[in-house]
Amino acid sequence: MEIPAGLTESAFSQLLGCRLQRLEVGEADVALELTPPLRNRGQKLHGGAIFSLVDIAMGLACSSTHGFDQQSATIECKINYIRAVAEGEVLCRAKVIHPGRRTLVVEADVIQGDKLVAKAQGTFAVL
């Protein structure tokens, strides 16, 4: 799926260092490298950075479903953190599991290699 970068990136995703790896209809993979500004007081990848990664990937999965000519907004999102990340890169794989006309339900896994870091589910409104 070829989409101009201006539609797949935001100033915030660039600030975090998110990198789109794959975009298909209803699916998005976004990577994030652990850099010093993203560390928490325990020197691990901050949970807020992981949550932002999830929200960005889910939003792209929604846009690839309803089209980049429409917008969607997060209504709710729930995340379970499974393991801490001390170094390296994580990948968020988001997939639309219910593409409704007014709302979309999306699942996401954050992984590092073959290890599950976090699992999330969100609901988005089509605007």
Side-chain angles (χ1 to χ4, degrees):
M1 173 176 278
E2 290 289 323
I3 303 291
L7 295 178
T8 61
E9 295 178 346
S10 67
F12 184 65
S13 69
Q14 292 172 350
L15 177 70
L16 289 176
C18 293
R19 297 179 329 277
L20 179 62
Q21 301 294 299
R22 185 179 69 88
L23 186 63
E24 301 293 333
V25 175
E27 297 182 14
D29 291 356
V30 181
L32 178 64
E33 181 77 29
L34 174 52
T35 59
L38 299 180
R39 291 186 184 276
N40 62 20
R41 290 178 293 134
Q43 300 306 305
K44 306 293 191 268
L45 180 58
H46 195 287
I50 294 171
F51 191 91
S52 293
L53 171 65
V54 163
D55 194 50
I56 289 163
M58 285 181 166
L60 286 168
C62 287
S63 292
S64 71
T65 299
H66 58 58
F68 282 82
D69 58 331
Q70 287 187 290
Q71 292 185 337
S72 53
T74 311
I75 295 174
E76 63 82 30
C77 189
K78 177 221 185 298
I79 190 166
N80 288 98
Y81 298 98
I82 311 297
R83 72 176 58 248
V85 175
E87 60 185 37
E89 181 176 274
V90 295
L91 179 70
C92 179
R93 291 196 163 139
K95 181 176 183 176
V96 174
I97 60 171
H98 171 72
R101 280 189 3 247
R102 294 186 178 175
T103 62
L104 299 99
V105 178
V106 188
E107 286 184 339
D109 288 340
V110 179
I111 56 173
Q112 186 175 44
D114 62 349
K115 307 267 189 198
L116 184 63
V117 172
K119 188 157 193 68
Q121 183 172 320
T123 307
F124 286 70
V126 180
L127 304 178

